[in-house]
Amino acid sequence: MPEFRTRRIDVKAAVLPWSRDFLTNRTILWLLFIVNTLGTLYGYYWYGNQMAYTVETQSAWQVVFVPDSPTASLFFTLSLLFLLFPRLSGSGTVGLTVRSIIEALGVVTSIKYGIWAVTMIMAGGAQGDQLQWEHYMLIVSHLGMAFEAMLFVRYMVFGRFMAFLALLWLLLNDTIDYTFFVFPWLPDVLENDLSAIQTFTMGLSVFSLLITWLLIAYRKV
């Protein structure tokens, strides 16, 4: 496992916000951890009505597949803990495997749902859905999800196989979503585009894996 050490430097001295010195600074990591934690909690609150509706009208087990973005954010938030406290995973095989699975899920799902949410909001707006300030807030936050996931791949320990397992989870989630209609509620103007959205969603799952694999290859270089 590559050794990872967080940096204790003056943040003001870091010129580039995507540099190692900046991203691995403990102040930055703690700030991202707090922001992602709050965003995750807000995300589950945002999905609260749909989760309650799913439990009341469908099988309770399906509720797991409803809050896509918050769950992705949760995995990435846990991944930040491993960067802050590398010894959490220990040095054994089991600990490293658990860490790798969480990191892979955090990266692949954050890329997928970050892009997906922005695309759905913009598609709805293009077809006449009235965008409110909440929509623009969601656009910024979901772009942040995808961007930060791609930035931090190089500091994580998971490899291509774990990323592939994350894809399998995404495809399972997609299948459940569009078989039992527990996908995130869409703007009314997109209801007639459900078939195209399903195809786009599953294709985006594969695309997110390919992006992650490319980033892993860049990490090794």
Side-chain angles (χ1 to χ4, degrees):
M1 182 186 76
E3 183 178 1
F4 176 87
R5 293 183 179 178
T6 56
R7 304 297 180 89
R8 298 180 181 273
I9 63 172
D10 183 2
V11 178
K12 295 181 180 179
V15 178
L16 301 176
W18 55 84
S19 68
R20 180 182 180 89
D21 284 341
F22 184 86
L23 292 176
T24 61
N25 180 276
R26 291 188 67 83
T27 301
I28 297 301
L29 287 173
W30 273 116
L31 178 61
L32 288 174
F33 176 78
I34 293 170
V35 169
N36 279 274
T37 298
L38 294 175
T40 299
L41 294 174
Y42 179 77
Y44 282 112
Y45 169 79
W46 178 274
Y47 277 93
N49 289 336
Q50 185 176 356
M51 294 171 69
Y53 177 82
T54 301
V55 172
E56 292 173 1
T57 63
Q58 299 181 222
S59 298
W61 64 268
Q62 295 170 11
V63 75
V64 176
F65 299 93
V66 172
D68 295 334
S69 293
T71 302
S73 178
L74 174 62
F75 284 127
F76 187 80
T77 302
L78 294 175
S79 298
L80 291 175
L81 274 182
F82 287 120
L83 297 183
L84 281 164
F85 305 102
R87 294 182 181 180
L88 279 178
S89 60
S91 58
T93 302
V94 174
L96 291 177
T97 299
V98 171
R99 174 178 177 174
S100 296
I101 292 174
I102 291 174
E103 289 181 343
L105 287 169
V107 169
V108 181
T109 61
S110 291
I111 294 174
K112 187 262 182 76
Y113 292 118
I115 297 173
W116 186 91
V118 173
T119 303
M120 293 303 106
I121 293 172
M122 298 303 293
Q127 295 194 33
D129 187 41
Q130 188 66 37
L131 299 186
Q132 307 295 330
W133 71 268
E134 293 95 337
H135 292 99
Y136 296 105
M137 178 271 292
L138 290 172
I139 288 174
V140 172
S141 62
H142 282 82
L143 284 177
M145 279 179 58
F147 189 59
E148 69 179 359
M150 290 187 286
L151 278 178
F152 277 93
V153 171
R154 52 186 162 160
Y155 308 126
M156 296 181 178
V157 302
F158 75 94
R160 291 187 176 186
F161 178 70
M162 290 303 181
F164 177 73
L165 292 184
L167 170 66
L168 296 183
W169 164 256
L170 282 177
L171 293 177
L172 172 63
N173 199 341
D174 295 340
T175 302
I176 298 297
D177 277 357
Y178 294 94
T179 299
F180 298 99
F181 301 98
V182 292
F183 50 83
W185 284 340
L186 298 167
D188 293 339
V189 294
L190 295 181
E191 288 183 356
N192 295 330
D193 302 317
L194 189 57
S195 179
I197 290 174
Q198 178 180 358
T199 300
F200 169 76
T201 300
M202 301 189 81
L204 186 57
S205 294
V206 177
F207 174 78
S208 299
L209 171 70
L210 296 178
I211 290 295
T212 303
W213 275 355
L214 180 63
L215 292 169
I216 290 174
Y218 175 77
R219 176 181 68 187
K220 292 181 178 179
V221 172

